[in-house]
Amino acid sequence: MVIKGNIISADRFGEIRIIKNGYIVIKDEKIANLSDILPFEYKDDELIDYGNKLIFQAFSDMHLHAPQFPMLGMGYDLELLDWLNTYTFPTEAKFSNVEYAKKTYKVLAKELIKNGTTRVAMFSSLHKDSTLILMDELDKAGISGYVGKVNMDRNGGVDLEEDTDDSINDTIDWIKKSNFKNIRPIITPRFIPSCTPKLLKALGEIAEKYDLKIQSHLSENISEINLVKSLENVTEYYKAYEKYGLWNNKTLMAHCVHSSEEEIKSLRDNGVYVVHCASSNNNLTSGYARIRYLLNNGVKVVLGSDIAAGDKLSMFDNVVETIKASKARVIIGDNLAFLTPEEAFYLATSAANEFFGEKPGFAVGNKFNAIVLDDSDLLNTEKLSIKERFERMFYLREEDAIKVVYSNGKAVYNSKN
Ligand code: GUN
Ligand code: FE
């Protein structure tokens, strides 16, 4: 199959590659060729011509909470710890009901695809069966990536807390039952205040034994950091993960708004990914993460919507939130540049490719994940450069701008259907 249109990819941090009226050749889910003229050998392949439309790389949302989807856009009057206890834990507790889970997760999977998010690293709840349902619904919708059964055996209250041994046994059972085409299990201690040392130690061992990736939260909020230091008797938050084998180059840590110099150095030296969640950090008054500073210091950064602390499922919107948060840092006195749309787009797409074992951009050999966008109803489209049209899509795209979404080489969303 060959796809034609105005192709935009984030090949390098801060630079987009534009191929006007270019061709992408797709073979067996993957990109076989990318160029401005169609190589002769593909001239008889089926060609879909998207005319003057824009073809973007699809997005990777590297941190979000599926069972918080029902509370999206509500409860932002509290900071993290009170927000968790008051709104979040009661909402997640409802996912003991597998029927409710199925209904909710079907809608979530559809919404993700409709918004051009084809890859995720996602938190489920602590419930094993509902987690398997979530994985199945994402897989069926055409989403790839990682889903974690959450572990929490302390401070969850009566309705959202596991017995330590049950938590460990359920995790192993869930890993063994996770047989999906494109969705894999990821070890997911909620955060240090939710997990006892015994559980954290077991999770580190399970991650190693089954060779699994890891995701959690780090240095999001000052009260949280102080709580972790007192619970675990550590001088730095990250050391509570490090000491249990939950700190390596297969680890995603959401937030890092208040990471110390020492923590930043360890993030870099261990190749741990920071997942920046700008919308969430604003809504819960957590702070403005120092993304430019982290990048300048060699830390790997990707983006997450962090719904429902974040209120935007669309990664287009999260790119805007990221740019705005970086400008807020400049306004409050950072002597560093804010992030450009090209940079934020890279963080929302290509920066996560390495985590999925791929190269940046629409590289040959990558799975084909893309969004076809129509901006013809906006003012002056025909007079603008592709670069201007690219930038405007984040701020101004119309409700039905996304026409087709491709995941692993297949059209998984079409606005006409
Ligand atoms: N820290 C621990 N759990 C959560 C959560 O669900 N959301 C956010 N934003 N931070 C957390
Ligand atoms: Fe989160």
Side-chain angles (χ1 to χ4, degrees):
M1 181 173 64
V2 181
I3 282 169
K4 182 171 185 236
N6 296 309
I7 301 162
I8 300 170
S9 58
D11 286 25
R12 288 181 11 181
F13 181 64
E15 268 174 48
I16 50 166
R17 175 179 180 187
I18 295 170
I19 310 179
K20 217 173 164 176
N21 300 315
Y23 298 84
I24 307 174
V25 180
I26 301 136
K27 285 249 179 296
D28 305 325
E29 305 190 343
K30 291 181 179 164
I31 298 165
N33 189 277
L34 178 74
S35 65
D36 53 356
I37 36 168
L38 185 64
F40 187 74
E41 60 192 292
Y42 304 115
K43 73 169 181 26
D44 294 329
D45 286 20
E46 176 198 356
L47 184 132
I48 303 173
D49 189 347
Y50 287 112
N52 195 30
K53 293 186 181 64
L54 305 169
I55 303 174
F56 279 40
Q57 268 176 272
F59 295 110
S60 293
D61 186 344
M62 300 305 282
H63 183 86
L64 72 164
H65 298 262
Q68 294 173 21
F69 188 49
M71 56 186 269
L72 191 65
M74 293 179 275
Y76 302 134
D77 55 329
L78 298 172
E79 291 196 16
L80 178 64
L81 298 176
D82 292 331
W83 174 84
L84 286 171
N85 291 321
T86 308
Y87 301 116
T88 315
F89 293 171
T91 303
E92 292 195 13
K94 292 184 191 151
F95 286 81
S96 59
N97 180 335
V98 290
E99 290 307 317
Y100 178 64
K102 195 167 178 66
K103 228 166 65 185
T104 311
Y105 292 154
K106 219 183 234 321
V107 180
L108 173 63
K110 211 167 128 188
E111 282 296 306
L112 283 165
I113 281 297
K114 204 175 145 183
N115 280 289
T117 299
T118 60
R119 284 174 165 170
V120 295
M122 189 184 277
F123 282 52
S124 177
S125 57
L126 59 77
H127 312 97
K128 179 178 67 174
D129 293 337
S130 291
T131 302
L132 291 166
I133 288 170
L134 170 60
M135 296 166 93
D136 187 43
E137 289 299 332
L138 295 172
D139 205 42
K140 284 195 293 203
I143 295 166
S144 302
Y146 299 89
V147 170
K149 175 211 138 14
V150 168
N151 297 95
M152 42 197 306
D153 70 339
R154 67 176 170 185
N155 298 319
V158 276
D159 291 331
L160 204 67
E161 201 173 287
E162 307 164 291
D163 168 79
T164 307
D165 290 328
D166 289 347
S167 182
I168 296 166
N169 293 332
D170 276 2
T171 300
I172 294 169
D173 188 40
W174 157 71
I175 291 165
K176 290 184 174 161
K177 287 182 175 149
S178 293
N179 296 313
F180 302 95
K181 183 157 184 271
N182 291 309
I183 300 288
R184 315 251 173 275
I186 177 169
I187 293 299
T188 308
R190 178 170 211 119
F191 69 157
I192 295 296
S194 296
C195 301
T196 61
K198 180 181 171 188
L199 178 57
L200 291 165
K201 181 167 176 286
L203 293 176
E205 288 164 4
I206 292 169
E208 172 147 9
K209 177 171 175 198
Y210 293 92
D211 190 22
L212 296 177
K213 300 198 190 262
I214 297 158
Q215 61 179 353
S216 196
H217 297 91
L218 181 68
S219 298
E220 176 176 6
N221 166 290
I222 304 286
S223 307
E224 172 211 19
I225 295 170
N226 291 334
L227 177 60
V228 169
K229 286 180 179 173
S230 70
L231 282 170
E232 285 297 309
N233 196 22
V234 283
T235 52
E236 296 286 333
Y237 191 159
Y238 82 90
K239 291 191 175 177
Y241 292 114
E242 187 185 43
K243 72 175 164 180
Y244 299 114
L246 299 163
W247 188 253
N248 58 45
N249 63 3
K250 296 187 292 186
T251 308
L252 298 164
M253 282 290 164
H255 305 301
C256 303
V257 176
H258 303 284
S259 290
S260 65
E261 289 304 315
E262 183 183 336
E263 192 162 277
I264 291 169
K265 191 171 172 305
S266 187
L267 283 162
R268 179 195 61 210
D269 292 347
N270 291 282
V272 174
Y273 290 79
V274 170
V275 192
H276 175 45
C277 307
S279 172
S280 162
N281 296 158
N282 198 320
N283 287 334
L284 300 187
T285 334
S286 302
Y288 294 113
R290 304 162 71 198
I291 299 309
R292 174 71 68 189
Y293 186 78
L294 292 174
L295 290 165
N296 285 354
N297 281 278
V299 177
K300 296 190 281 196
V301 178
V302 293
L303 298 190
S305 66
D306 195 24
I307 68 155
D311 60 292
K312 306 276 199 296
L313 191 63
S314 162
M315 293 306 286
F316 281 103
D317 292 332
N318 280 293
V319 162
V320 173
E321 295 271 340
T322 298
I323 296 167
K324 290 190 174 178
S326 78
K327 291 186 174 175
R329 284 226 60 101
V330 175
I331 292 165
I332 62 178
D334 259 11
N335 210 2
L336 297 169
F338 55 78
L339 296 169
T340 66
E342 289 86 345
E343 288 173 332
F345 180 58
Y346 182 93
L347 299 182
T349 56
S350 292
N353 282 13
E354 185 190 304
F355 196 78
F356 294 100
E358 291 193 341
K359 298 201 180 73
F362 280 131
V364 170
N366 282 2
K367 296 276 180 84
F368 181 60
N369 290 283
I371 306 170
V372 180
L373 287 154
D374 186 349
D375 60 349
S376 60
D377 285 343
L378 293 174
L379 272 181
N380 293 328
T381 297
E382 64 289 348
K383 294 187 193 133
L384 299 177
S385 68
I386 304 282
K387 189 169 175 300
E388 287 167 326
R389 291 169 62 192
F390 158 80
E391 179 173 0
R392 191 165 66 167
M393 279 295 93
F394 295 98
Y395 292 92
L396 212 64
R397 74 197 176 284
E398 292 190 305
E399 174 111 14
D400 62 347
I402 297 181
K403 294 300 172 194
V404 185
V405 176
Y406 287 91
S407 178
N408 297 334
K410 275 203 276 301
V412 291
Y413 171 76
N414 193 317
S415 66
K416 289 200 199 113
N417 301 337

